[in-house]
Amino acid sequence: MKILKIQTLQGPNYWSIQDHQLIVVRLDLQDFSDRKPNRISGFLKGLTEALPSLGDRECDLGEKFLERLQDGCLWMEEVVEHVALELQTLAGMPVSFSRTRKTATRGVYYVIFEYQAPEAGRYAARVAVRLCQSIAEKGRYHPDDLRQDLQDLQRLGAEAALGPSTEAIVKAAEARGIPWLRLGARFLIQLGYGAYQHRIQATQSDRTSILGIELAGDKEGTKRILQDAGVPVPRGMTISYFDELENAIDAVGGFPVAIKPLDGNHGRGVALDINTWKDAEAAYDAASVASKSRTVIVERCYTGRDHRVLVVDGKVAAVAERVPAHVVGDGRSTINELIEMVNRNPRRGQGHDNVMTRIELDRSSFELLRKQRYSLDTVLREGEICYLRATANLSTGGIALDRTDEIHSDNIYLAVRVAKIIGLDIAGIDIVTPDISRPLAEVGGVVVEVNAAPGFRMHAHPSQGLPRPVGEAVLNMLFPPGTPSRIPIVAITGTNGKTTTTRLTAHMFRQTKRIVGYTTTDGTYIDDRLVEVGDNTGPHSAKLILQDPMTEVAILEAARGGILRSGLGFATCDVGVVLNVAADHLGIDGIDTVEDLAYVKSVVAETVMPEGYAVLNADDPLVAAMAKRVKAQIAYFSMQPDNEIVRSHVQQGGLAAVYENGYLTFRKQEWSEQIEQAVNIPLTLGGKANFAIANALAASLAAFVQGVKIEDIRAALIAFKPSTSQTPGRMNLFDLGKYQALIDYAHNGASYQAMGDFVRHHTGERIGVVGGPGDRRDEDLLNLGRLAVGIFDRIIVKEDDDTRDRPRGEAAELICQGIEEEKPDFHYETILDETTAINTALDTATEGSLVVILPESVSRAIKLVETRYQ
C-alpha cells in the first residue's frame, strides 16, 4: 500500500457539511486492491491482537466492525479507515466520522476520517497504513512500535490541544454560536469575526489592563496598594540578600513565616508554615532561584484554608478551596503505594491540561515528609492525612473543592473591590481564611495574592462540587447578550463569473459606508486596498478577511480547489451565491463529472444559516436542484422572466431577481421593483453581455437580502465598470483607434460560449488569441478549439507558460485539432509564446476589427495592450 496524498480539511467540505475536521488520504492499495482482508492468512488474528478495542467499534450501519470484517463485508481501505479512528481514540482523541470512496483509478481510494489535532490525524493515517500492511505481510505489528505510535499521537494531540482555561471559554463561545479562530502567535484565540471580534490569551482578554497585569505580577506592590486601601493582607517585607533574612523574620512577628519569590508563578519556590531557622534558609534559597529578580518576600504565615475567588467583570464567578497534594491512609498501604493509587486516577495527567495533575515528589516534598515524621515506606492509619506539598496549587497535584455557594457576601464584596483596585477584568483573588462563609475580619483571614490570567481548571472541573460556567462569564463580559459577534458573510461560487460577481457585490456593500473585505482570484482586498496578491479563493484568504478587525462585511469567492483541498474557511455564512455549474477542472481531485462538480459548489449553499439566503441560478438545473439540500431561505435569479421555478417560487412568497423587458427586476408575490435598465449598466456592455446581466442579478439579490437599499444597489450598478481597475481580466474592452481589443479570462467551454455571445455582435473582423490550461482533459481542450471556430474569423493558438505537467505544445495541438475537426479549412496559426501571440494579433489587426485575448497572465496582457495607447 502507498499513500499518494494526505489533505487536511477544516470547515464544511465536499465530504461533510457539518464542519467536520477531516483527513483525506488518497491511498493506492497496490497488491491489496483485490484481496479481502478476511482471506489474508493471520490478518484478523494480528489485527485483534494489536487493537483489541476494535471489537467495540461500530460501522455506519451500527454493526460491529470486527463482525463485518470477519464476514468478508469490508475491504482493506475500510480497515485502514477504522484503524485510523481507533488509534486516535486510544491516544485520548475520540473520533467517529469516516468514510471511503473509490477514485477513477483502479485500486486507488479516498480514505476520509475525522481528527481533533491535525498533525495527529495525519500521523494516524500513516500509522494505520503501516500497521495494516505489517499485519497483512507478517501477521503482526510489534507491540513496541504500537506503544511508540500511541505515545507520539498523544504528544501531537497535547501540542495542539487548548489549555483547560481556554477550552472553557471556547466551549462557551460554541454554545452561544460565537465563531472562534486560532491566531498565529502567542496562543491567541479570536472570538467573533472582523470588527466584532475580541481576543483572549488563556484568561487574559483584550480588555485586560496592562497596568493591572504588571501590578498583579509585583506581589509586594500589590500588597502595598491593597494595604493602603484597607484590605487585610499579610504582614511582610521584601529582601534581596540572605543577610536580611533574620531581621525580616523578626519584623513580621517571628515564626511561623511564609517565604516566596517576588515574581514567581504556579507556586514555584513558595514555602509555607516555616518554623525553624534551618527551614527558613532552605526556603530562601528556593525562592531566590524561582524569582526572576532574585528578590523574595517574607510574610507572616496565617493559619486557615487556601481559597481562590474568581472575579470576572466585577462579579464573583466561582470560588474554590485548594487543598495541597496529599494522600489519605487506609491502614494497609505505604505512602508510596498510596501515591501510585492516586496517580492512577484517569482524571490526573501531566501538566495543566488534565482535570487534575499527577503527584510528583521533589525536594520540598521530602522536606515536608520529614517535618511530619514520615517516609515513603510509612503505613498511614485509616483516615490519616499526609501532605506532600506545602502549597495548594493544582499544577503540583493539589485538588479543588467548589465553595461558590458558601462564600459570605462581605467576602464577595471584598473580592470584587480588590479586582477593581488592581485594575483587572479577570482576576484570581487568593484568600487564606479558616472559614470562607464568615467575613475575613471576624476570623482573621487575609488576601495573600492577586493573579492576572488565573487558571479556570479548578472551577470548570473541581475535584469535588459543582462545575461553574466560568467560560460563560467571560463570554458575557466580552459579548453581552444581544451584541453581535459576526459580520455578514456573503460566499460566492460557480464555474464562471465568480470574481466579477464578488467585486460587484463588494461595490454594492461599500455604498452603505461599511468597510468591506473581499477575496478574488487576483487578490485579497480590505476597504478596496489590495492586502495580498494571488489567487485567493481558499480558506486562508477567507480567514485573513475574518481575522481583520477593520472588516465589517466579508464577500468571499469560494473556488472548487479551495473547497476540495482545505474546506471552507468559515462554518456558516449569511448568503451563499451559486452562479452556475459547467464542465471545468474535470478529472482533477476525484471530480470526474459535472454532477460531482455541482456537489462541490453546493457546499457554499448548504452552509448558509437558516435565517440567511441561498441565491441560486434558476436557469441552471444543477444549481436549482441544490434548493432541496439547503436549510436556508431561497432567492432565485433568472434571465427568463417566465421561468417556471421562479414563477412558482414568487407566487409562494419567495424572492427573485429576473431580467424582464430590458430591466433587472426584483419580484415577490404581487410586488415588483425595477432596479435598473441593463443598457445603463456598464458591466453588461450596453446590455449585450447576457452572462454579465446574470452576474448583476445575483449580486443585486445578495446585497438586497442583506438590507442594502435598492437605490444603493442601483448606484453601484451604474458606477461599476468592467475596467482593469475594477474587474481586471473580465471583459476589459480597449478602444485602440482603428481597432478594439478585449481581454477576458475565459478558459473553459461555458465561458467561451458566454464570451462568444457578446463577440458575435461585433461587425468587423474577429481575431482570437486562444489557449487552455494544461491540466484540463483532452476532450475539454478539443472542445475549446471547436467553440473558437464559431466565434472568430481568425485564430492564433498560444499556450500557457505553466503547461501543468503536459509536454510543451500538447495543449495547443489539441486545440488546433478541435479547430480542424470543426472546420478543416479554417485559418489559424500556432504561436506558443503568449507575449508573441498577443503582439502578433495586435500588429495584424485590421481596421474595425476586434482582437480578443484569452490570457494566462491577465496583468501581462493588460500591459501589452496599454502600450498601444502610446
Side-chain angles (χ1 to χ4, degrees):
M1 287 184 283
K2 182 181 180 182
I3 292 177
L4 304 177
K5 182 190 289 187
I6 300 179
Q7 294 174 308
T8 307
L9 308 186
Q10 290 181 305
N13 53 75
Y14 177 68
W15 306 103
S16 172
I17 300 300
Q18 302 305 317
D19 200 15
H20 286 289
Q21 299 183 115
L22 299 181
I23 297 295
V24 179
V25 180
R26 188 176 171 92
L27 178 65
D28 187 349
L29 292 178
Q30 296 179 324
D31 295 340
F32 298 101
S33 62
D34 295 322
R35 298 172 66 190
K36 283 282 185 76
N38 69 322
R39 295 183 180 177
I40 298 174
S41 177
F43 185 82
L44 283 171
K45 181 175 181 291
L47 186 63
T48 52
E49 286 178 352
L51 297 171
S53 55
L54 275 173
D56 297 325
R57 184 164 287 280
E58 293 183 348
C59 297
D60 291 341
L61 301 176
E63 299 173 275
K64 293 292 185 181
F65 166 74
L66 285 180
E67 291 177 5
R68 284 180 57 77
L69 179 60
Q70 203 164 19
D71 292 342
C73 299
L74 300 178
W75 292 87
M76 186 61 79
E77 68 275 11
E78 295 169 304
V79 177
V80 171
E81 163 197 353
H82 286 279
V83 168
L85 291 175
E86 190 63 22
L87 288 167
Q88 294 179 86
T89 300
L90 291 172
M93 295 169 283
V95 286
S96 59
F97 178 87
S98 66
R99 60 181 54 178
T100 56
R101 292 289 183 272
K102 64 181 180 181
T103 71
T105 304
R106 188 176 179 278
V108 177
Y109 290 82
Y110 286 113
V111 178
I112 306 101
F113 58 86
E114 187 183 1
Y115 69 86
Q116 286 190 19
E119 287 303 320
R122 296 170 72 88
Y123 187 71
R126 294 191 291 271
V127 174
V129 172
R130 188 166 67 240
L131 182 146
C132 291
Q133 177 121 10
S134 177
I135 294 173
E137 293 175 349
K138 304 174 186 177
R140 72 191 295 258
Y141 189 63
H142 200 286
D144 290 344
D145 292 336
L146 180 59
R147 192 177 301 111
Q148 185 62 55
D149 290 333
L150 292 175
Q151 288 176 0
D152 291 341
L153 279 170
Q154 288 170 341
R155 174 181 54 80
L156 292 169
E159 289 173 356
L162 299 171
S165 299
T166 306
E167 185 179 39
I169 299 171
V170 164
K171 284 190 173 179
E174 291 174 342
R176 279 188 51 183
I178 296 173
W180 65 278
L181 301 166
R182 293 179 192 250
L183 301 183
R186 301 184 66 83
F187 304 103
L188 287 169
I189 298 291
Q190 176 182 316
L191 303 167
Y193 285 152
Y196 296 132
Q197 69 177 268
H198 283 286
R199 295 176 183 176
I200 59 169
Q201 183 187 60
T203 61
Q204 289 179 2
S205 80
D206 51 16
R207 288 181 36 170
T208 303
S209 162
I210 185 63
L211 293 178
I213 294 171
E214 292 291 326
L215 182 55
D218 178 357
K219 292 179 173 58
E220 185 63 18
T222 296
K223 192 164 67 174
R224 284 194 201 131
I225 290 284
L226 294 179
Q227 191 171 31
D228 291 345
V231 175
V233 295
R235 281 186 294 161
M237 61 184 296
T238 59
I239 60 175
S240 300
Y241 302 98
F242 177 74
D243 293 346
E244 302 172 293
L245 180 59
E246 188 172 358
N247 289 337
I249 293 173
D250 291 339
V252 300
F255 294 113
V257 296
I259 297 177
K260 59 184 76 171
L262 175 67
D263 45 15
N265 53 36
H266 297 305
R268 285 187 281 267
V270 175
L272 306 176
D273 197 23
I274 299 167
N275 288 283
T276 69
W277 177 251
K278 181 180 179 183
D279 290 340
E281 285 183 296
Y284 174 86
D285 290 340
S288 179
V289 169
S291 174
K292 298 174 186 175
S293 62
R294 309 290 292 185
T295 301
V296 303
I297 301 172
V298 180
E299 286 182 344
R300 180 72 180 169
C301 195
Y302 290 79
T303 59
R305 292 179 286 176
D306 185 334
H307 298 81
R308 166 64 62 81
V309 180
L310 178 66
V311 177
V312 179
D313 196 27
K315 305 177 187 69
V316 169
V319 181
E321 178 188 343
R322 299 182 295 180
V323 181
H326 66 281
V327 291
V328 180
D330 60 6
R332 301 182 307 276
S333 307
T334 66
I335 290 174
N336 195 49
E337 289 169 339
L338 291 170
I339 293 170
E340 290 178 2
M341 283 189 274
V342 168
N343 281 340
R344 281 199 290 270
N345 184 336
R347 301 176 76 197
R348 288 189 184 267
Q350 299 290 342
H352 302 273
D353 295 337
N354 292 81
V355 174
M356 294 186 289
T357 302
R358 287 174 54 84
I359 297 175
E360 304 287 351
L361 303 182
D362 65 2
R363 183 185 60 79
S364 67
S365 303
F366 289 105
E367 283 295 313
L368 193 56
L369 283 171
R370 182 184 60 79
K371 281 185 182 182
Q372 299 171 91
R373 298 183 179 180
Y374 296 140
S375 73
L376 291 179
D377 295 325
T378 300
V379 176
L380 298 176
R381 297 187 305 273
E382 187 168 352
E384 186 178 359
I385 297 175
C386 170
Y387 288 99
L388 301 164
R389 291 279 182 167
T391 59
N393 295 73
L394 270 65
S395 58
T396 57
I399 64 172
L401 315 177
D402 179 62
R403 302 294 189 202
T404 306
D405 295 331
E406 301 172 27
I407 186 171
H408 194 277
S409 58
D410 285 2
N411 296 339
I412 291 175
Y413 176 81
L414 179 65
V416 169
R417 184 165 167 257
V418 166
K420 288 185 180 294
I421 290 169
I422 301 305
L424 291 171
D425 59 337
I426 304 171
I429 318 295
D430 289 346
I431 295 175
V432 172
T433 178
D435 188 353
I436 197 70
S437 68
R438 296 171 62 190
L440 297 193
E442 287 185 9
V443 293
V446 289
V447 174
V448 296
E449 197 169 314
V450 179
N451 298 273
F456 283 2
R457 179 168 58 151
M458 68 186 78
H459 307 299
H461 304 284
S463 309
Q464 295 178 28
L466 291 174
R468 300 293 170 169
V470 288
E472 185 179 332
V474 174
L475 262 294
N476 288 338
M477 175 185 73
L478 298 177
F479 300 95
T483 60
S485 62
R486 297 171 176 269
I487 59 173
I489 298 175
V490 178
I492 297 170
T493 193
T495 302
N496 297 306
K498 296 185 296 295
T499 296
T500 298
T501 306
T502 297
R503 287 178 169 274
L504 177 57
T505 305
H507 191 63
M508 290 175 177
F509 275 93
R510 280 199 299 275
Q511 310 305 308
T512 66
K513 309 303 180 188
R514 286 180 282 181
I515 294 176
V516 180
Y518 61 97
T519 62
T520 71
T521 52
D522 46 61
T524 301
Y525 297 79
I526 296 174
D527 203 21
D528 237 14
R529 289 170 171 80
L530 180 64
V531 297
E532 188 175 68
V533 178
D535 186 351
N536 297 341
T537 57
H540 166 78
S541 306
K543 287 179 180 177
L544 187 156
I545 295 295
L546 299 174
Q547 287 174 6
D548 197 287
M550 292 183 64
T551 310
E552 295 173 305
V553 179
I555 315 296
L556 307 175
E557 181 178 341
R560 172 208 63 90
I563 297 171
L564 287 170
R565 287 190 296 270
S566 306
L568 291 177
F570 47 89
T572 58
C573 58
D574 301 273
V575 181
V577 180
V578 186
L579 298 170
N580 43 61
V581 178
D584 193 20
H585 296 92
L586 298 183
I588 303 173
D589 295 325
I591 305 304
D592 300 311
T593 67
V594 181
E595 288 73 22
D596 290 341
L597 187 59
Y599 198 86
V600 176
K601 304 291 185 183
S602 72
V603 171
V604 169
E606 292 185 65
T607 56
V608 181
M609 293 183 286
E611 63 272 23
Y613 273 89
V615 175
L616 305 178
N617 185 349
D619 297 333
D620 188 321
L622 288 172
V623 176
M626 295 177 190
K628 298 174 184 176
R629 300 199 300 274
V630 171
K631 296 182 178 66
Q633 302 176 81
I634 305 292
Y636 288 109
F637 65 95
S638 172
M639 294 293 291
Q640 308 297 328
D642 55 352
N643 181 293
E644 180 56 32
I645 293 173
V646 170
R647 188 187 64 77
S648 175
H649 180 68
V650 168
Q651 285 179 348
Q652 295 174 40
L655 177 66
V658 298
Y659 183 49
E660 184 176 26
N661 300 324
Y663 280 87
L664 280 69
T665 304
F666 286 140
R667 282 186 185 177
K668 187 174 184 179
Q669 287 184 331
E670 304 305 318
W671 172 77
S672 177
E673 177 87 17
Q674 291 181 335
I675 308 168
E676 184 54 71
Q677 198 170 7
V679 294
N680 297 329
I681 300 173
L683 182 66
T684 70
L685 300 175
K688 298 175 183 176
N690 286 342
F691 63 91
I693 297 173
N695 292 341
L697 288 169
S700 299
L701 266 179
F704 186 68
V705 297
Q706 271 293 300
V708 180
K709 297 177 181 177
I710 291 179
E711 52 265 35
D712 288 333
I713 294 173
R714 182 180 297 119
L717 288 170
I718 293 171
F720 190 79
K721 295 178 172 58
S723 62
T724 56
S725 60
Q726 288 192 310
T727 58
R730 273 72 184 177
M731 297 299 287
N732 302 146
L733 189 62
F734 302 82
D735 188 347
L736 299 176
K738 75 170 188 175
Y739 65 94
Q740 293 178 302
L742 177 72
I743 296 177
D744 188 62
Y745 189 59
H747 59 281
N748 56 53
S751 57
Y752 265 51
Q753 288 173 326
M755 174 269 301
D757 288 342
F758 169 77
V759 171
R760 279 187 282 267
H761 285 95
H762 189 78
T763 55
E765 185 184 27
R766 301 185 295 270
I767 306 165
V769 181
V770 307
D775 61 355
R776 302 312 192 262
R777 300 174 303 176
D778 289 0
E779 61 200 82
D780 297 326
L781 295 169
L782 287 167
N783 187 48
L784 294 184
R786 298 187 193 103
L787 291 171
V789 170
I791 300 170
F792 303 111
D793 302 309
R794 179 158 58 96
I795 296 173
I796 298 175
V797 180
K798 53 88 180 177
E799 195 165 75
D800 292 352
D801 298 341
D802 180 3
T803 62
R804 308 195 188 191
D805 297 328
R806 278 190 185 270
R808 188 71 178 159
E810 185 175 278
E813 287 176 8
L814 287 165
I815 293 174
C816 293
Q817 183 180 333
I819 293 172
E820 293 172 359
E821 287 177 0
E822 186 69 16
K823 195 171 183 180
D825 59 347
F826 189 86
H827 176 65
Y828 74 90
E829 59 182 312
T830 302
I831 303 175
L832 295 183
D833 178 67
E834 184 167 282
T835 298
T836 305
I838 293 171
N839 281 329
T840 299
L842 297 173
D843 289 340
T844 60
T846 54
E847 185 87 26
S849 65
L850 174 65
V851 178
V852 179
I853 302 164
L854 311 179
E856 173 194 29
S857 171
V858 169
S859 59
R860 177 172 61 195
I862 290 171
K863 287 178 183 177
L864 290 172
V865 172
E866 286 179 340
T867 58
R868 302 284 167 154
Y869 283 122
Q870 300 171 1

